[in-house]
Amino acid sequence: MGLECRIVVTQKVDGAELGMYDPVSGRYEPLGTHPREALDSAIEGLKISIERAGHKLTFCERSIR
């Protein structure tokens, strides 16, 4: 199997930020902020892309208040 790609969902008051985290290098790459109603669609698109590339997919969620 390929690399591990972790989708990080950071819940904010006005939506959520999506990002990718590489646990091997410790690098975090922000992918943009999305309104709550578009979040599922954005995550699904990332999931499909990552799995097609042959990578292992994991998720992490956090909140900023």
Side-chain angles (χ1 to χ4, degrees):
M1 183 161 284
L3 302 172
E4 176 184 352
C5 294
R6 185 170 302 161
I7 295 176
V8 179
V9 181
T10 304
Q11 297 291 344
K12 297 183 174 186
V13 174
D14 58 347
E17 178 186 289
L18 291 181
M20 294 292 297
Y21 174 73
D22 177 1
V24 174
S25 70
R27 191 176 117 202
Y28 174 79
E29 184 72 31
L31 299 175
T33 302
H34 301 274
R36 293 198 196 288
E37 58 273 4
L39 191 57
D40 287 343
S41 177
I43 290 172
E44 182 67 22
L46 283 170
K47 176 185 177 294
I48 290 168
S49 176
I50 290 167
E51 289 177 340
R52 280 187 184 154
H55 301 303
K56 178 182 175 185
L57 177 64
T58 58
F59 291 89
C60 176
E61 186 173 11
R62 62 187 186 147
S63 296
I64 293 181
R65 296 177 192 256

